[in-house]
C-alpha cells in the first residue's frame, strides 16, 4: 500500500496552496494530493468571478478580513513573480437609493478598520471612473484586482510537483480508516496510507470530515451563482468592477459587473439553492444532495428568515427581465439583448443546524487531521494565507515521527 507523510483531499485552490506551503516547509516529505476529477480546479476554483478581493466586506478581526487583505497582496506578488496575467484595477461600490447611503458609509468605515485604502466618491466622481453608472454616491477600493484562478491553481500545482509532491487525479476518497498514527484512505484508485490528513474537499468537505470522524456541526448547502456576459460591443459600459451595496444579512455580494482578465465582462452572480452540489445547470438534480438539504432543519430556519430574498433570487434565476432590472439599478443603459447567458458556479456555504450561515472560514482539527469546512469567497483571494495558516497547525514531520501522540 503506498504510504505518504501527508495527504490532502481536494485539488482546488485551497488544497493546492496548502500542498505548496507544506512542500516548502517539509522538503523531503512524501506529500500526496488526491483529486476526484481528471484535472484540478474543476469546481469552485474554476467557476468564480475571478476577483482578487480587498477584504472590505468582512468583520474586522475575522479570518476572512485578515486573510483577504494579506492574501490580496501575496497573490499579486505571486502573479508578478510567476508571470500570471492579472490586473489591480480597483472597484467601486455604489449606493443607488437613499436607504443604501448609511450602509455604504458603514462599508467605508469597515474598510478603514480593516486597514484598507478606501475613498468616498460623489456621484460625479463615480462617473469619472465608471461613466455609465448612475448612483447617489460610491466607495472606491483601489486594491481590488482580477485574475483567472484556474491559472493560479495550475501554477500552485506545478510548483508543488516540481518540489517533489505527487498529484493523483481521478482519485475519489470513498472512506477513511483511522489508524494509530494517521489514516488509510480508501479511494477509487486503491488504498493510500498517510500519517496526516488535510481535508480541502470544498463542496464535499462536510462529508469528508464525517468520513474522518469529525463532526463540523454544519452542513454544506450549495448555492449556485449564475452569470450573464455582456456582448462584445457593449463591454465598454464597464471599465473595472461595479458592485451594489450588499444586503448585510446575506453572505453574497449582490449581482455586479466584473471585467474579467480575458477582457470579457460578466454580470452576476445571483445565489439560488442548487439541487446538486456540483450542479451548474438549473435542471441538475441529485437525490442525495437534494434530500440532505430538504431534511436539514438548518435550511428551513434559514429559508424562513430569508424567504423574501430567496424568492427574489429564484425569480432572478428564471426571469432574465428581473436579472436585467437588478443590473439596470447600476447601469440604466444595459438592455436584455446586451446580455448572453454564460457559465455558473456553485458556492460551498456551510450552514449550522440553527439556520445561521457560518460567517468565517472554518478550519477544524481531528485525529491526525485538519478539515477546512467553510472556505467560500474570498478563499481564492486568500488561498496563500489559508494554506500557510493550515500548515502552521500541522506538526512537522520530525515531530510526527518522534512523537505521534502530539497529533491526537
Ligand atoms: C460563483 C462564485 C464566485 C466566486 N467569486 C470569487 C471571487 O471573485 N474571488 C474569490 O476570492 N473567491 C470567489 N469565490 C470563492 C472561491 O472560488 C472558493 O472559495 C475557492 O475556489 C474554494 O476553493 P477550494 O479549493 O476550497 O474548493 P474547490 O475549488 O471546490 O476544490 C475542492 C476540490 O475537492 C475535490 N473533491 C471533493 N471531494 C473529493 C473526494 N471525496 N475525493 C477527492 N477529491 C474531492 C473536488 O473535485 C474539488 O476539485 C467564488 C465562488 C463561486 C462559486
Amino acid at each position: 500500500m503506498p504510504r505518504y507523510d501527508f495527504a490532502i483531499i481536494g485539488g482546488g485552490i485551497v488544497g493546492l496552496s496548502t500542498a505548496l506551503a507544506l512542500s516548502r516547509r517539509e522538503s523531503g516529505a512524501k506529500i500526496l494530493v488526491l483529486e476526484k476529477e481528471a484535472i484540478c480546479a474543476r469546481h469552485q476554483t474554476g467557476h468564480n468571478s475571478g476577483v482578487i478581493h480587498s477584504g472590505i466586506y468582512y468583520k474586522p478581526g475575522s479570518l476572512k478580513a485578515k486573510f483577504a487583505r494579506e492574501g490580496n497582496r501575496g497573490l499579486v506578488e505571486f502573479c508578478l513573480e510567476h508571470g500570471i496575467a492579472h490586473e489591480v484595477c480597483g472597484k467601486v461600490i455604489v449606493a443607488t437609493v437613499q436607504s443604501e447611503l448609511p450602509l455604504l458609509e458603514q462599508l467605508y468605515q469597515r474598510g478603514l478598520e480593516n486597514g484598507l485604502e478606501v475613498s468616498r466618491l460623489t456621484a460625479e466622481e463615480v462617473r469619472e471612473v465608471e461613466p455609465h453608472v448612475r448612483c447617489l454616491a460610491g466607495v472606491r477600493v483601489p486594491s481590488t484586482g482580477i485574475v483567472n484562478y484556474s491559472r493560479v491553481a495550475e501554477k500552485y500545482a506545478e510548483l508543488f510537483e516540481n518540489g517533489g509532491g505527487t498529484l493523483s487525479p481521478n482519485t475519489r476518497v470513498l472512506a477513511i480508516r483511522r489508524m494509530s498514527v494517521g489514516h488509510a484512505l480508501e479511494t477509487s484508485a486503491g488504498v493510500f496510507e498517510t500519517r496526516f490528513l488535510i481535508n480541502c474537499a470544498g463542496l464535499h468537505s462536510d462529508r469528508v470530515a464525517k468520513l474522518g470522524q469529525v463532526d463540523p456541526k454544519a452542513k454544506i448547502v450549495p448555492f449556485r451563482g449564475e452569470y450573464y456576459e455582456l456582448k462584445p460591443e457593449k463591454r465598454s459600459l464597464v471599465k473595472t468592477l461595479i458592485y451594489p451595496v450588499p444586503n448585510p444579512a446575506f453572505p453574497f455580494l449582490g449581482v455586479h459587473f466584473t471585467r474579467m482578465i480575458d477582457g470579457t465582462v460578466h454580470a452576476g452572480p445571483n445565489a439560488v439553492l442548487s439541487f446538486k452540489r456540483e450542479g451548474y445547470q438549473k435542471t441538475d438534480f441529485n437525490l442525495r444532495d437534494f434530500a440532505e438539504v430538504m431534511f436539514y432543519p438548518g435550511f428551513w430556519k434559514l429559508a424562513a428568515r430569508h424567504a423574501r430574498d430567496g424568492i427574489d433570487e429564484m425569480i432572478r434565476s428564471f426571469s432574465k427581465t428581473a436579472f436585467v432590472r437588478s443590473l439596470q439599478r447600476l447601469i440604466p443603459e444595459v438592455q436584455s439583448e446586451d446580455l448572453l447567458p454564460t457559465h455558473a458556479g456553485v458556492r460551498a456555504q456551510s450552514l449550522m443546524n440553527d439556520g445561521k450561515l457560518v460567517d468565517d472560514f472554518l478550519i477544524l482539527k481531528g485525529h491526525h487531521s485538519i478539515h477546512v469546512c467553510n472556505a467560500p469567497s474570498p478563499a481564492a483571494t486568500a488561498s496563500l494565507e489559508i494554506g500557510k495558516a493550515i500548515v502552521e497547525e500541522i506538526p512537522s514531520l520530525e515531530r510526527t515521527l518522534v512523537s505521534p501522540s502530539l497529533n491526537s
Side-chain angles (χ1 to χ4, degrees):
M1 178 184 318
R3 291 204 173 140
Y4 289 85
D5 299 311
F6 303 98
I8 294 152
I9 303 175
I13 201 161
V14 173
L16 293 169
S17 77
T18 305
L20 178 59
L22 195 53
S23 67
R24 285 176 169 169
R25 189 189 78 180
E26 300 285 342
S27 59
K30 286 188 73 187
I31 308 174
L32 172 70
V33 173
L34 305 120
E35 168 53 52
K36 68 181 167 60
E37 307 293 344
I39 300 172
C40 286
R42 275 293 163 267
H43 291 292
Q44 294 177 91
T45 303
H47 291 89
N48 57 42
S49 303
V51 176
I52 309 176
H53 285 294
S54 61
I56 189 171
Y57 298 106
Y58 317 111
K59 216 178 271 169
S62 64
L63 293 178
K64 278 189 179 178
K66 184 169 176 280
F67 290 173
R69 188 186 59 235
E70 287 160 21
N72 171 300
R73 283 191 210 125
L75 189 62
V76 170
E77 275 167 28
F78 182 88
C79 290
L80 284 170
E81 186 184 342
H82 296 285
I84 298 171
H86 70 288
E87 192 185 327
V88 181
C89 52
K91 79 169 177 183
V92 288
I93 305 169
V94 298
T96 54
V97 290
Q98 204 70 28
S99 60
E100 288 175 346
L101 289 172
L103 294 170
L104 185 69
E105 177 59 22
Q106 277 175 25
L107 266 183
Y108 171 75
Q109 295 298 340
R110 185 164 269 194
L112 292 180
E113 278 180 75
N114 284 337
L116 303 174
E117 186 193 331
V118 280
S119 49
R120 292 189 187 99
L121 301 183
T122 61
E124 291 68 38
E125 287 167 335
V126 169
R127 272 200 292 278
E128 281 166 25
V129 185
E130 292 291 348
H132 300 275
V133 168
R134 291 293 168 271
C135 66
L136 300 176
V139 164
R140 178 158 164 77
V141 196
S143 59
T144 302
I146 48 176
V147 73
N148 180 332
Y149 282 112
S150 298
R151 295 289 92 74
V152 176
E154 265 169 33
K155 187 50 82 175
Y156 291 170
E158 182 191 317
L159 295 172
F160 166 66
E161 286 189 296
N162 290 348
T166 308
L167 255 175
S168 181
N170 296 311
T171 309
R172 181 190 289 268
V173 174
L174 303 167
I176 301 176
R177 240 180 318 111
R178 199 183 258 213
M179 303 188 307
S180 58
V181 180
H183 303 268
L185 309 176
E186 290 174 19
T187 79
S188 52
V191 181
F192 299 83
E193 257 184 42
T194 181
R195 301 181 72 81
F196 199 93
L197 168 69
I198 304 122
N199 162 15
C200 301
L203 283 152
H204 298 280
S205 54
D206 55 340
R207 290 177 181 163
V208 170
K210 284 197 172 145
L211 292 179
Q213 296 174 39
V214 166
D215 181 3
K217 297 196 174 65
K219 191 176 277 301
I220 292 289
V221 175
F223 286 98
R224 191 173 49 251
E226 296 154 332
Y227 296 84
Y228 284 92
E229 185 182 337
L230 275 182
K231 281 183 176 167
E233 59 272 28
K234 292 289 175 176
R235 286 179 192 158
S236 59
L237 289 175
V238 176
K239 307 287 172 222
T240 60
L241 313 177
I242 307 164
Y243 284 68
V245 174
N247 173 351
F250 230 47
F252 312 120
L253 302 179
V255 292
H256 48 265
F257 290 97
T258 311
R259 186 156 58 79
M260 310 294 279
I261 197 66
D262 63 2
T264 57
V265 175
H266 288 192
N270 59 359
V272 284
L273 178 70
S274 174
F275 297 156
K276 186 178 176 193
R277 289 202 180 195
E278 289 158 3
Y280 299 102
Q281 307 296 325
K282 287 192 207 333
T283 48
D284 281 349
F285 180 83
N286 175 287
L287 185 57
R288 178 183 174 196
D289 294 350
F290 177 70
E292 267 188 23
V293 173
M294 291 299 121
F295 287 106
Y296 186 48
F299 172 72
W300 292 107
K301 290 175 193 157
L302 176 80
R305 212 173 302 132
H306 291 290
R308 185 69 252 169
D309 297 311
I311 291 166
D312 285 349
E313 290 288 358
M314 289 296 283
I315 293 172
R316 214 157 41 180
S317 172
F318 284 97
S319 156
K320 187 177 179 186
T321 310
F323 204 108
V324 174
R325 219 180 294 127
S326 304
L327 296 171
Q328 284 171 335
R329 285 183 48 207
L330 303 170
I331 299 184
E333 275 168 74
V334 167
Q335 299 300 317
S336 184
E337 57 274 19
D338 301 337
L339 294 156
L340 305 167
T342 180
H343 77 285
V346 184
R347 307 169 181 88
Q349 174 61 53
S350 219
L351 175 67
M352 291 182 281
N353 205 28
D354 62 4
K356 290 200 183 110
L357 296 164
V358 177
D359 200 25
D360 210 352
F361 296 140
L362 179 64
I363 301 171
L364 301 174
K365 285 189 193 172
H367 167 86
H368 299 270
S369 60
I370 288 183
H371 301 262
V372 181
C373 291
N374 195 49
S377 186
T381 302
S383 53
L384 287 169
E385 292 302 312
I386 298 177
K388 270 195 250 162
I390 292 171
V391 169
E392 274 169 23
E393 297 297 324
I394 301 174
S396 68
L397 181 58
E398 230 167 61
R399 283 175 71 208
T400 318
L401 293 173
V402 173
S403 173
S405 60
L406 281 172
N407 291 326
S408 313

